[in-house]
Amino acid sequence: MIKRNIYLLWGIALLQGMVFYAPVATLYRQAAGLGIFHITLIESISLALMLLLEIPWGWLADRIGYRKTMLICCFLYFVSKIVFWKAAGFPGFLLERILLSVVCAGLSGVDSTMLYLSCSEEDSHRAFSVYENLGQLGILAAAGMHAVWIGANYRLAAFLTVCSYGAAMLLSFGLQEVSAGSAAARKNTPADMLTVLKKQLGNPKVLLLLIAVGLLNECHQTITVFLSQLQYIRSGMSHGAISLAYILVNLLGLTGGFSAALCRKVGAKTMGAGLFLLASISCLLLGLYPLPAVSVLAVMLLQLSFSLMQPLQMDLQNRQITGRNRATALSVNALVMESLGIFLNLLFGRLADVQLEAAMFLGAALCGFGAILYSFSFSRQ
């Protein structure tokens, strides 16, 4: 066990959760001249680049070590926030997302690998739960400051985010390499990348899990980050009410800390399937009832299902991986999940431009389908 790594990774999660412009992320971009379709187009381009970089980055991380990968990615994360702070128009925000694609592809699996290998196996689910919770605490702290102080000063919110990510970058220098990362740096070869790719994609149980989780992740990301603000405006909520709703929604993110305990009580299969169905119901409510209270409640339920699911799916992924090329395997997993986002982002964006409720109904259908796939992934054991 490497306690220092655990605490530093938790601290990085807290600081990188402090995105001060998050409550008005869509409004921020619209004020800079972007439409919803442009926003989702940038997201799709970003995801496509991530797909190209996922496996090479995973192989490189196994090659150079996990600590070096964390250092590089935390630095680039910091730079991306500077670009966002200064961005004006489509080119600037596209550049920010390109940098973010490089970072997310690099971090994909590396942060969870370091955390998993820095603690005992029996404590891994709890460690992931705390990791997710601290990220949510960062979001809440930033949202609270936005509500009481920042308000409509979008550029100030972006500058404060730069400061937070700079602090996270400094913490990354204190990380210690885990033994698996050191061994991988000595032994990993290009042929290993192909071997891991075949192994992961040839496992039906894993594929079903990844597709299911990918559907939930994309619905959650698109609706809570982008479409929820449009839903709130559609229901007649004020700017202050939207900030308050954002805080309430992200309070539910703290429920990720209960994921391990809930899983022990009801089992991974029942818990996961129930969370997918809860997400489906929440999307259905958003499409049917454009009312302030119902809209906020529905987004809260979607956040609840996602927050409880994240530690569980991270633990399930890590437990089925054996061998030294752990980052490569997790990058393959991320490749499967993120490939769904390229098409789904554009589809959500186009539907939202035409009719917002149609996008919500799409989310309901996708989460319902995810529940079926998730359940089948356990029936194949």
Side-chain angles (χ1 to χ4, degrees):
M1 178 180 291
I2 308 176
K3 289 187 176 180
R4 183 174 72 179
N5 276 3
I6 297 172
Y7 295 139
L8 285 172
L9 287 166
W10 286 352
I12 291 170
L14 175 67
L15 289 167
Q16 290 183 344
M18 297 178 72
V19 181
F20 292 88
Y21 58 80
V24 290
T26 300
L27 304 180
Y28 186 114
R29 291 173 171 88
Q30 286 183 321
L34 297 185
I36 295 298
F37 181 72
H38 288 132
I39 293 171
T40 54
L41 175 60
I42 290 174
E43 286 290 302
S44 292
I45 294 172
S46 174
L47 280 171
L49 180 58
M50 284 177 62
L51 291 180
L52 292 175
L53 296 176
E54 272 290 355
I55 297 177
W57 244 128
W59 175 82
L60 183 62
D62 282 327
R63 180 73 183 179
I64 68 175
Y66 305 140
R67 179 181 181 273
K68 287 181 182 178
T69 305
M70 285 291 298
L71 290 175
I72 294 169
C73 291
C74 286
F75 170 73
L76 291 177
Y77 227 159
F78 172 55
V79 173
S80 75
K81 296 307 175 186
I82 295 176
V83 173
F84 187 90
W85 172 37
K86 295 296 185 179
F90 188 88
F93 287 106
L94 177 60
L95 175 60
E96 182 263 339
R97 296 306 292 186
I98 290 174
L99 286 171
L100 195 60
S101 298
V102 176
V103 171
C104 291
L107 286 178
S108 177
V110 173
D111 53 353
S112 63
T113 291
M114 289 200 75
L115 188 57
Y116 185 78
L117 295 176
S118 295
C119 61
S120 59
E121 185 172 328
E122 58 269 21
D123 290 331
S124 60
H125 196 157
R126 175 184 172 275
F128 287 132
S129 295
V130 175
Y131 185 70
E132 291 294 318
N133 261 17
L134 286 170
Q136 289 298 320
L137 278 174
I139 290 173
L140 286 169
M145 289 185 63
H146 186 277
V148 303
W149 176 40
I150 300 172
N153 192 339
Y154 297 159
R155 294 298 176 180
L156 174 61
F159 172 72
L160 292 175
T161 305
V162 170
C163 296
S164 178
Y165 275 68
M169 178 191 66
L170 293 177
L171 283 187
S172 69
F173 284 95
L175 291 170
Q176 178 181 334
E177 183 62 274
V178 291
S179 58
S182 300
R186 293 192 300 270
K187 300 178 180 179
N188 199 30
T189 66
D192 291 327
M193 180 169 62
L194 295 177
T195 301
V196 174
L197 179 63
K198 292 178 181 178
K199 181 179 179 181
Q200 293 301 105
L201 296 182
N203 189 331
K205 180 174 73 71
V206 173
L207 279 177
L208 289 174
L209 171 66
L210 296 177
I211 294 172
V213 172
L215 292 175
L216 175 62
N217 289 354
E218 289 305 320
C219 291
H220 169 267
Q221 168 74 7
T222 305
I223 292 175
T224 61
V225 175
F226 300 112
L227 301 187
S228 63
Q229 294 165 39
L230 302 180
Q231 175 79 4
Y232 296 152
I233 292 174
R234 176 187 174 215
S235 65
M237 293 172 60
S238 66
H239 188 281
I242 292 174
S243 294
L244 178 60
Y246 182 84
I247 294 174
L248 291 175
V249 167
N250 282 282
L251 276 173
L252 269 296
L254 299 177
T255 56
F258 300 102
S259 179
L262 180 60
C263 186
R264 286 194 296 269
K265 287 186 176 181
V266 303
K269 180 179 180 181
T270 301
M271 173 182 167
L275 293 176
F276 275 98
L277 291 175
L278 180 62
S280 181
I281 292 170
S282 70
C283 294
L284 191 62
L285 289 174
L286 287 169
L288 292 174
Y289 304 105
L291 303 171
V294 176
S295 296
V296 174
L297 175 62
V299 177
M300 289 175 69
L301 291 177
L302 181 58
Q303 179 66 47
L304 174 65
S305 62
F306 176 80
S307 298
L308 288 171
M309 189 65 201
Q310 282 304 101
L312 173 59
Q313 64 92 4
M314 290 170 69
D315 194 51
L316 289 173
Q317 286 191 60
N318 273 279
R319 286 181 182 274
Q320 59 83 33
I321 297 173
T322 57
R324 66 179 184 270
N325 298 309
R326 182 172 291 271
T328 305
L330 289 172
S331 289
V332 173
N333 290 358
L335 176 68
V336 175
M337 293 187 288
E338 290 161 3
S339 63
L340 300 170
I342 296 178
F343 171 72
L344 291 179
N345 271 322
L346 292 174
L347 184 56
F348 269 117
R350 180 55 68 192
L351 287 176
D353 272 341
V354 176
Q355 191 177 49
L356 186 59
E357 54 263 45
M360 302 305 184
F361 292 144
L362 173 64
L366 293 176
C367 290
F369 184 53
I372 297 172
L373 296 181
Y374 180 86
S375 299
F376 275 134
S377 75
F378 281 83
S379 67
R380 287 179 170 268
Q381 288 182 336

